Amino acid sequence: MKNETYIIKLLSTIKPSLLTENELYCVCKSLKSGGCPFSFWKAFCNQDTTKHCSEICEEIWNSFDNTLNRFAFVEIRNLAKKFGWKDEDHLSNRYLDVDGDIAIPYIDYLPDAAKNFPISFSTISDKENYRFVSITEVPEKYSKTEFIIQGLLQKRSNMLITAIPKAGKTIFSQQMTVCIAAGISFLGYECKKGKVLYLDAENNMYDSYERIKQIAGQLNLDTDSYGENIVFYDKSLVPYNVDILDDLIQNVKPGQFDVIILDPIYFLFSGDENNNKEINAFIKKVDNLGKAAEASVVLIHHETKACKFTKNVVDRASGSNIIARFPSTIVSITPIKAKKDTVGLREKLEIVLRFDKSPKPINIVLNDGIHRKENDIEATEGTAKLSSKASIDNKNQKFINAYNTLKESCETVKATDLAEYLNVARTSIYNYIKNTPGFTIEKGIIIKSECND
């Protein structure tokens, strides 16, 4: 087997005496479903010569079928990581197929394969308790679920965001991306700062960059506060005959990202979205991606135009209902009738949670390339007359300071230069000028009135 050194090095890292019974069985099943010979499992078991376990080992081995699993070694690798294994010390970015069916990382160097494992082994008992955990053992073996977005997105879970075309699904998901990357509140939900991999299949790389930058500008964020935590997936570099999900599964390292966003899923799925069998296979691959990457996966999907009249959020996603039965969190964005004074697209945000009571729907407004809670907008407008000067000072002081700084070294201050200095989109400069007394713009040059000096 081409990858025996890799598997032996993984097994050499693991100490069986420190594994639970459940974990020992996982090792056995992973080896067999990964296409390894029985000798690997036997060598792993029989290092403790005072406790001859070959007969038990063979019995356990034979209890599993010969079904091959493309991602069999993920469990062994995860166990090895608990004992200090680091992929970057052993792996390159290249991958091999073993017997045409199993994909595991390729080794850059091939030292002599170890024939003896420096480990001890405790007796394996009967299989009757495999996969069964007493309720009294739960606090000892499992930790409380952590949140990436408090009350909305759990760590290593899945989310589905749906809406009809042109309702702002991508803007919504990119705003969520920025909030996670910066560790700030997203529409009232607190985010834990984390790293996000974003696959924007509908727009080119630079357009995605500009959108993210504009959203961050609207949130008054500098690039330093989020830039290192947002990574784009360049689909143009993937060969036409390579499945993108397979490529992600093979190349994303465990724990490299906290969230992976796939926008939209129709780009990744070439089958019939109404075919339960085909959708089920696709969803299993998405689940494998989350497990292999140790990350939460967010799917962006469309709704049919008639779905706004469907009461059940779970039934709004286009295609097979398997799509909506998979995630822990479902988010539906539905355009609604605008109020007389509404500026922007008024929408209803509905959320269904599998793990807790679902929150009440709220109204949001999409304007200036960002979503805001309608109540927050109304509250701001209601107090604007009382605090307009203070609001302008707080919101635009950064703009005024930047203008003054550039003016000291330049005869004229251009909107493009100021946008670059503030690291915001050019459109944001026009908003600053509109809301800051004493400033105008002519042919791209910012002019400050003398009375404002």
Side-chain angles (χ1 to χ4, degrees):
M1 189 175 69
K2 295 178 183 178
N3 307 90
E4 70 173 41
T5 301
Y6 172 71
I7 304 304
I8 291 175
K9 288 180 72 68
L10 281 177
L11 292 174
S12 298
T13 306
I14 301 171
K15 301 187 186 317
S17 60
L18 299 180
L19 297 181
T20 65
E21 187 176 31
N22 184 52
E23 288 170 336
L24 285 168
Y25 279 102
C26 279
V27 172
C28 179
K29 184 176 181 180
S30 296
L31 288 174
K32 190 165 186 178
S33 61
C36 292
F38 171 65
S39 59
F40 275 51
W41 171 240
K42 186 174 182 180
F44 184 71
C45 292
N46 289 343
Q47 297 313 296
D48 190 344
T49 56
T50 63
K51 299 175 181 176
H52 185 69
C53 302
S54 59
E55 189 173 327
I56 298 176
C57 287
E58 187 171 359
E59 181 182 341
I60 295 171
W61 180 269
N62 291 335
S63 67
F64 295 110
D65 59 35
N66 292 313
T67 302
L68 293 177
N69 184 343
R70 185 175 175 80
F71 311 105
F73 302 122
V74 171
E75 291 296 332
I76 294 180
R77 184 179 62 183
N78 288 341
L79 282 174
K81 285 178 63 180
K82 293 182 179 181
F83 294 93
W85 172 270
K86 293 182 179 179
D87 279 332
E88 55 266 30
D89 294 339
H90 305 279
L91 310 180
S92 71
N93 291 324
R94 291 171 290 163
Y95 287 73
L96 288 179
D97 282 338
V98 180
D99 299 328
D101 203 8
I102 304 159
I104 63 174
Y106 173 80
I107 307 302
D108 275 325
Y109 55 91
L110 293 174
D112 292 335
K115 296 182 179 180
N116 296 310
F117 298 97
I119 48 178
S120 60
F121 178 75
S122 57
T123 306
I124 299 179
S125 58
D126 293 335
K127 190 186 173 185
E128 59 182 359
N129 292 323
Y130 177 53
R131 293 192 181 96
F132 295 92
V133 180
S134 167
I135 191 170
T136 59
E137 296 177 303
V138 171
E140 181 182 331
K141 294 185 177 182
Y142 301 90
S143 58
K144 189 175 181 180
T145 302
E146 298 179 30
F147 281 91
I148 295 172
I149 304 178
Q150 189 61 40
L152 191 62
L153 179 63
Q154 293 178 315
K155 191 174 182 180
R156 300 187 190 181
S157 66
N158 303 285
M159 174 187 284
L160 175 68
I161 299 174
T162 66
I164 62 172
K166 305 302 179 182
K169 298 186 295 293
T170 294
I171 294 176
F172 184 90
S173 60
Q174 289 178 339
Q175 184 175 340
M176 183 173 70
T177 296
V178 172
C179 291
I180 294 172
I184 64 173
S185 176
F186 172 60
L187 297 175
Y189 292 92
E190 293 302 318
C191 298
K192 181 179 180 181
K193 192 167 187 175
K195 200 160 190 174
V196 183
L197 175 64
Y198 199 100
L199 191 164
D200 187 348
E202 292 184 319
N203 301 288
N204 65 50
M205 189 77 71
Y206 198 84
D207 288 343
S208 298
Y209 160 76
E210 284 286 352
R211 270 189 174 181
I212 291 286
K213 191 175 178 180
Q214 182 178 355
I215 290 170
Q218 291 285 351
L219 295 171
N220 297 319
L221 294 172
D222 295 323
T223 306
D224 291 343
S225 63
Y226 68 89
E228 293 296 321
N229 285 333
I230 298 178
V231 176
F232 290 120
Y233 178 86
D234 191 352
K235 62 184 184 295
S236 67
L237 300 179
V238 182
Y240 74 93
N241 60 340
V242 173
D243 183 277
I244 287 180
L245 282 180
D246 285 342
D247 186 67
L248 286 169
I249 290 169
Q250 292 181 358
N251 287 291
V252 175
K253 296 178 182 179
Q256 185 178 358
F257 301 103
D258 297 286
V259 181
I260 298 174
I261 298 180
L262 307 177
D263 178 19
I265 63 174
Y266 79 79
F267 184 85
L268 307 173
F269 178 67
S270 58
D272 179 4
E273 68 177 20
N274 294 294
N275 185 303
N276 286 342
K277 185 176 180 179
E278 292 182 7
I279 283 293
N280 189 52
F282 170 76
I283 290 299
K284 284 184 176 179
K285 189 174 288 189
V286 172
D287 190 44
N288 282 334
L289 169 60
K291 290 177 179 177
E294 298 179 4
S296 296
V297 179
V298 178
L299 305 176
I300 315 300
H301 190 45
H302 63 279
E303 299 176 351
T304 60
K305 291 185 177 181
C307 73
K308 60 188 291 185
F309 302 107
T310 303
K311 292 183 178 180
N312 194 343
V313 173
V314 176
D315 295 326
R316 294 181 187 176
S318 180
S320 169
N321 60 13
I322 292 176
I323 297 174
R325 266 60 182 181
F326 165 67
S328 301
T329 304
I330 302 176
V331 177
S332 176
I333 308 168
T334 309
I336 55 178
K337 186 177 180 180
K339 289 183 177 180
K340 186 176 180 180
D341 57 348
T342 300
V343 178
L345 178 61
R346 189 166 177 252
E347 300 175 310
K348 177 176 285 188
L349 179 66
E350 298 171 272
I351 298 170
V352 172
L353 304 176
R354 302 286 189 195
F355 53 84
D356 202 353
K357 182 179 179 180
S358 299
K360 292 181 179 180
I362 62 171
N363 293 338
I364 58 176
V365 176
L366 173 58
N367 187 35
D368 288 334
I370 196 172
H371 287 91
R372 293 183 177 89
K373 293 171 66 176
E374 187 175 63
N375 289 344
D376 292 345
I377 296 173
E378 292 174 349
T380 301
E381 291 174 347
T383 59
K385 292 183 179 180
L386 299 175
S387 58
S388 59
K389 188 175 185 304
S391 177
I392 290 172
D393 289 343
N394 291 334
K395 194 171 184 180
N396 299 298
Q397 191 60 48
K398 180 193 263 187
F399 165 77
I400 296 171
N401 292 342
Y403 173 87
N404 291 335
T405 300
L406 291 181
K407 187 65 176 174
E408 289 178 1
S409 58
C410 303
E411 185 175 341
T412 59
V413 178
K414 297 180 180 179
T416 51
D417 294 336
L418 194 55
E420 183 178 353
Y421 181 84
L422 289 171
N423 196 26
V424 298
R426 186 178 176 182
T427 53
S428 297
I429 299 300
Y430 287 88
N431 289 331
Y432 278 124
I433 294 171
K434 180 181 177 182
N435 295 313
T436 305
F439 286 87
T440 57
I441 185 167
E442 294 181 9
K443 297 181 179 180
I445 298 176
I446 301 171
I447 301 171
K448 183 179 180 182
S449 63
E450 293 182 3
C451 64
N452 198 45
D453 288 333

